[in-house]
Amino acid sequence: MSSEAALSPSPEAGDDRDRSHAQGPGAAAPADWRRLDRRTVLASALVTGGVVAGAAVPTTLGLSGRLGFGAAVAWVLTGSLLLIGSAAGGDYVRWRRTRYRIGAERVELHTGLFLVKKRSLARERIRSVDLTAHLLQRILGLVTVRIGTGEHSGNDSTLELDPVTRPEGERLRRALLERAAAGSPGTHREGELAALDPRWIRYAPVSFVAPALGCAAGGAVLQVSDWFGAQGQVIEWIGERFRDTSLLTMIVLLALAAVVAGVVGALGLWVEMWWNYRLEREPGGTLRIRRGLLTSRSVSIEERRLRGVDLVEPLGIRTFGAARVDAITTGLVKDDEEQHGDHNTLLPAVPRRVADAVAADVLRETTSPTGAPLTAHPLAARGRRLRRACWAVGAPVSVLALLGALLTPVLLWTALGCAVVGLPVGVLLARDAYRGLGHAVSGDYLVVRAGTVRRSTAALERAGVIGWTVRQTYFQRRSGVLSVTATTAAGAGAYTAHDTGVSQGLGFAAEAVPGLLEPFLERVPPLG
Amino acid sequence: MTTGEGTVRLRPPNNTLDPRAVGWWRAQWLLLTAAPVVVLALLGALIAPARFWLLLPAAVLAVLGTGCAVLLPAWWFRTHRWEVTDEAVYVRTGVFRQEWRIAPMSRIQTVDTVRGPLEQLYRLATVTVTTASAKGAVRIEGLDHETAAGLAERLTRITQDTPGDAT
């Protein structure tokens, strides 16, 4: 490396093993070191070109008023070329200065112009190699490779190679994830575990995405029109359309339009997310999910990291008998980008039966623990949920009523309306939440289920439980219930059986992980 | 409930905290109360027109805070207990919302001992035992600092002897 490398302190300078390898790419064995794909320059030039083209049209129109059309075009062209050139130039420098090496023990990545960053990961600690390619990269045959150790320490545990050619990405993935037959012998089937069934798209419109997108569409119309100073006109235009109809019809029609927009958006999003979906088990003991219409994604989950599955049924898709399957794996990736994404979703919303079958396949079981019969929780749990629902409705209603009594009767009517609508809904949800509660020990797994808006049936490997937390509030003590939480290194970190009976919950925990809880339990002689 | 086989419950852990923890909690409460009370009282002294509306909450806060500082810590002292066996760390905390935490020795990843300025004054220490779970940390607050050091050493020794990556 050149003088910058010598001047700038390397972040890995303390790592002796790393230093012994990092003689500098030019010095020791240049053959080992690879570069990213050269076409990244083309890709970033094209991306910038697209953005510039989008901005160029309105800018040209704006400037031509002042400078005349010819001059405006000339100015904008110069500016565009300058921008595209600098983006491409910057990317060229990045490409020149970035190199990586897959050594016998470590994966190394050197990058940076002035501050040379040398990073390396021990190969034995690598837990995930994910490939992503957006549309342009796909056309050029490139992929972005993210190599992660699955540790909690954020960015430092992930190396990103952006981009390499697709065969190189596949080679890296295979080379880095292949372990010498570490997984259990082939007792369970390998190859494809699930593939996309286009009929699953029927669950897309009933997910929570649809109303969110509908509202977003309405908001976007107003926002964009506001940018052009035409918000008032848009509202006026809409008012004009509905001049002859009643206010109610107008609201219903507008809501309908939003719903249609939301449904169309949800369908589109589903197609983009899940097209070409495949879930496979690979020989090295890795689960691989591939999906995506425009942006293709490939996520690999090492089965050694898998501690169970979470069958998630949001209210919308549950009413149609569908469920989604998430993986519970150790080593949560805490990158911003991945936090919003559903990188641990194994299966989109599918009929419950299929979800159970795939969950069983994933866990190498004959029947899925998520389908096991669960023990219901005591009736006190239902009372607690009903009381909570009454409070949740009653508190705002009484505030409204109080304000109404003091200020204006309109608020009184609003309070009445809220109470009439809210109470039945609250009671229904509370009863449903109670019906959802359950826990069981099924084979090697413990299963807990809870939730009504987002019902989750988590099957957690019993060997993956690394502690227990038992909680009991004053009210729970009075009702004779408590909440038992299994902590784990995987997934959400904690899975709770809410409001179980005292003996029931403690017995469940003791049965799930023998030996851990028993020393701290005592029998109570029955009272009276 | 399975009444047939009799009911079970969690027994309280064996050890209480150091009695000085009561004083430490009191000091914490008093400091916590003093901060807003002093600010309010100062403002009340300086701003004549709003004096009543500043001194009143100051007085209320002072009375409440002092009351809590006198009563609560003694209660806490009775409910906060801990125990370390060869297999697990077992801690009970909380009054209104009681919490029992159990972390098996084989899954402990780090053992930290922390002594804040106030804790040093009372010769106390906090031992935090973390496992690989983001939500499974066990904290024992208000230990005598020598007990804490001994405990941390013992835990570290045991966990070092246990193989595996504790996930």
Side-chain angles (χ1 to χ4, degrees), chain A residues 486-520:
Chain A
T487 57
T488 171
Y495 291 89
T496 304
H498 297 275
D499 290 342
T500 65
V502 172
S503 308
Q504 191 186 35
L506 296 175
F508 162 64
E511 188 194 347
V513 185
L516 179 53
L517 203 63
E518 273 98 342
F520 309 118

Side-chain angles (χ1 to χ4, degrees), chain B residues 75-127:
Chain B
W75 196 5
W76 284 344
F77 182 73
R78 276 188 298 168
T79 56
H80 285 61
R81 297 175 78 94
W82 63 279
E83 182 177 342
V84 174
T85 68
D86 287 340
E87 274 80 43
V89 181
Y90 176 38
V91 173
R92 184 179 79 178
T93 53
V95 169
F96 176 76
R97 179 187 159 95
Q98 282 212 310
E99 202 171 283
W100 295 261
R101 281 178 179 260
I102 296 160
M105 284 296 174
S106 56
R107 307 304 182 103
I108 291 173
Q109 283 196 327
T110 63
V111 182
D112 298 340
T113 316
V114 181
R115 302 180 64 197
L118 208 57
E119 274 182 300
Q120 289 189 24
L121 212 64
Y122 282 87
R123 285 179 290 123
L124 295 171
T126 298
V127 175

Side-chain angles (χ1 to χ4, degrees), chain A residues 280-300:
Chain A
E280 297 160 298
R281 170 173 285 130
E282 298 192 317
T286 314
L287 294 168
R288 182 181 195 190
I289 303 142
R290 277 187 285 183
R291 60 192 177 86
L293 176 67
L294 300 177
T295 300
S296 74
R297 309 164 185 86
S298 154
V299 177
S300 307

Side-chain angles (χ1 to χ4, degrees), chain A residues 331-355:
Chain A
L332 259 171
V333 181
K334 291 225 166 146
D335 289 357
D336 284 343
E337 193 182 319
E338 307 239 342
Q339 217 160 28
H340 320 294
D342 32 8
H343 61 287
N344 58 358
T345 301
L346 289 175
L347 188 67
V350 302
R352 178 69 203 258
R353 194 175 31 79
V354 181

Side-chain angles (χ1 to χ4, degrees), chain A residues 6-35:
Chain A
L7 287 173
S8 58
S10 139
E12 297 277 353
D15 193 338
D16 285 336
R17 264 199 294 176
D18 181 49
R19 193 187 279 169
S20 65
H21 285 291
Q23 301 284 319
D32 287 0
W33 288 90
R34 286 162 175 270
R35 284 203 169 144

